[in-house]
Amino acid sequence: MSSITQVLRLNDFVEQLKLSDPRTRLDPWLLGPVIALLAIGVVMVASSSMPYAEDHMKGNEFYFLIRHCIYLAIALASAVFALQLDTRFWQENGPKFLVLGILLLVAVLFIGREVNGSKRWIGVGPLTIQPAELVKFFIVIYLAGYLVRRSDELQTQIRGFIKPLFVIGLVVAFLLLQPDFGTSAVILATALAMLFLAGARLWQFITLTGFVGIVMGLVAWQEPYRMKRLTSFLDPWADQFGSGYQLVQSLIAFGRGDWFGAGLGNSVQKLSYLPEAHTDFVFAVFAEEFGFLGVALVITLFAIIFMKSLTIGRRALKMEHYFAAYMSYGFGFWLSLQALINIGVASGSLPTKGLTLPFISYGGNSLIVSCVAVAVLLRVDFEVRRKEHEYSSAKQSYRGRSRGGRNE
């Protein structure tokens, strides 16, 4: 009987999502850009990884493409599952997920695989788990719940602003031990944005932002390799075969792209010149093959996702769905900020950081978590539309009764 009940519930949910009803359909302005970016990701992973895979994977040039498609299938299945979960599920279990994330951050320091001097991955058979990617998602959920529970305290007392920062500071400390400076910056920036939008006072926000900036600057200054990245970012040509090599090759790719690009598959920089061509620097290969117009298209797609996230959050606030609103803001800032940093690094506008480009770069954990985040956004949009429809129907019914009473 329980299985039959679950099937009936799923059928009811699918019935509610009929595209013919504009009040409950999945928002095409959010879903469309994500699908476009996922398609670009499949194409670019194939184009950028084949030369490297042929040389390093025993001649199997489709090695990374096959794995990327497997991860994409898992990501889409996870997104469909997340779409069926009510936002109350995330609100009720947010603290538990955060504890799980912290435990994984601790575990990766002891049993994680070390790659290029960093311990960021836990092996599970043929797959790997990257706790840092999961923690981004968990932090947003936890902080959204905290902002609902402590809204008055946040807006009236300084301790309401400081309390969540201890938890975030603990997470960042474990991330820096891996080390993962880029993810730490994304989490801190997202958290500050959520606190500000939830009503934190301006002077608190400015003071804390300055303090965080100083601390992160000191952390970068203490590590020689981070300082090399900063100096090479300012003048990569000063050491173009050393610390500035990766950025120089990326800039050459952008230069070769010109307005319309060299054409799909015609990148030269991916031929063992540009390291991490299918992961952190996939956007450089994309810029080389599709030019300025392609770059503008991808930036526009991410801008649409960001604006839709803010719009969904604002509508949720109007319906007094506060947890969903803060969660929408958090996901929008996280995905957009990470995309902005990745694009900035590839184009030489920001210092080099090891961050993937959401939906496009090769990387299973990032792909899965990003797709689940979008699914939760779609679920929030669906719930808000349903609530708006119920409110509108109730309002019309009330007006109808009022007119009937006056006619009598």
Side-chain angles (χ1 to χ4, degrees), residues 264-277:
L264 178 62
N266 293 329
S267 168
V268 173
Q269 294 306 105
K270 68 183 180 184
L271 303 177
S272 301
Y273 292 104
L274 179 63
E276 312 293 341

Side-chain angles (χ1 to χ4, degrees), residues 99-119:
V99 171
L100 173 62
I102 293 175
L103 291 176
L104 289 174
L105 288 177
V106 174
V108 77
L109 297 176
F110 296 96
I111 62 174
R113 295 179 181 175
E114 186 169 345
V115 179
N116 296 329
S118 299
K119 282 189 175 182

Side-chain angles (χ1 to χ4, degrees), residues 102 105-106 164-177:
I102 293 175
L105 288 177
V106 174
L165 298 179
F166 285 108
V167 177
I168 295 169
L170 178 65
V171 170
V172 169
F174 284 125
L175 286 170
L176 292 176
L177 290 175

Side-chain angles (χ1 to χ4, degrees), residues 175-244:
L175 286 170
L176 292 176
L177 290 175
Q178 293 184 8
D180 192 344
F181 190 81
T183 299
S184 301
V186 170
I187 287 177
L188 281 171
T190 301
L192 289 174
M194 292 178 67
L195 288 169
F196 179 72
L197 290 174
R201 296 178 181 179
L202 183 61
W203 71 267
Q204 295 174 345
F205 177 78
I206 294 176
T207 302
L208 185 62
T209 301
F211 176 74
V212 169
I214 293 172
V215 171
M216 297 300 282
L218 291 173
V219 170
W221 178 71
Q222 289 179 347
E223 293 291 342
Y225 79 94
R226 292 193 183 118
M227 290 305 299
K228 284 185 178 180
R229 286 182 176 181
L230 286 172
T231 55
S232 63
F233 150 72
L234 296 173
D235 186 11
W237 304 98
D239 188 14
Q240 57 181 303
F241 298 107
S243 59

Side-chain angles (χ1 to χ4, degrees), residues 169-400:
L170 178 65
V171 170
V172 169
F174 284 125
L175 286 170
L176 292 176
L177 290 175
Q178 293 184 8
D180 192 344
F181 190 81
T183 299
S184 301
V186 170
I187 287 177
L188 281 171
T190 301
L192 289 174
M194 292 178 67
L195 288 169
F196 179 72
L197 290 174
R201 296 178 181 179
L202 183 61
W203 71 267
Q204 295 174 345
F205 177 78
I206 294 176
T207 302
L208 185 62
T209 301
F211 176 74
V212 169
I214 293 172
V215 171
M216 297 300 282
L218 291 173
V219 170
W221 178 71
Q222 289 179 347
E223 293 291 342
Y225 79 94
R226 292 193 183 118
M227 290 305 299
K228 284 185 178 180
R229 286 182 176 181
L230 286 172
T231 55
S232 63
F233 150 72
L234 296 173
D235 186 11
W237 304 98
D239 188 14
Q240 57 181 303
F241 298 107
S243 59
Y245 177 80
Q246 196 169 26
L247 181 53
V248 166
Q249 299 305 315
S250 182
L251 293 175
I252 292 174
F254 272 84
R256 291 194 72 254
D258 204 14
W259 283 93
F260 304 103
L264 178 62
N266 293 329
S267 168
V268 173
Q269 294 306 105
K270 68 183 180 184
L271 303 177
S272 301
Y273 292 104
L274 179 63
E276 312 293 341
H278 58 293
T279 55
D280 298 344
F281 279 82
V282 68
F283 193 71
V285 179
F286 177 80
E288 184 179 2
E289 296 187 348
F290 290 92
F292 174 79
L293 294 183
V295 169
L297 172 63
V298 168
I299 293 176
T300 301
L301 292 174
F302 276 111
I304 293 173
I305 294 173
F306 178 65
M307 295 305 298
K308 288 303 300 181
S309 301
L310 296 185
T311 301
I312 292 171
R314 185 170 64 251
R315 287 171 46 224
L317 278 180
K318 290 181 179 179
M319 291 292 105
E320 298 183 351
H321 202 347
Y322 297 113
F323 173 79
Y326 298 140
M327 189 168 57
S328 299
Y329 290 147
F331 287 149
F333 272 99
W334 154 36
L335 293 172
S336 304
L337 182 62
Q338 184 164 327
L340 180 65
I341 292 176
N342 181 279
I343 293 172
V345 167
S347 61
S349 303
L350 293 172
T352 303
K353 292 287 178 291
L355 287 173
T356 57
L357 183 58
F359 310 113
I360 295 180
S361 292
Y362 172 81
N365 290 268
S366 175
L367 188 62
I368 294 170
V369 174
S370 298
C371 286
V372 171
V374 171
V376 175
L377 281 173
L378 288 169
R379 177 70 195 197
V380 171
D381 180 66
F382 164 71
E383 291 183 5
V384 170
R385 286 173 185 267
R386 184 173 59 186
K387 203 167 184 178
E388 289 173 342
H389 175 53
E390 292 173 354
Y391 176 78
S392 178
S393 299
K395 192 174 182 180
Q396 291 177 2
S397 177
Y398 174 77
R399 287 177 178 177

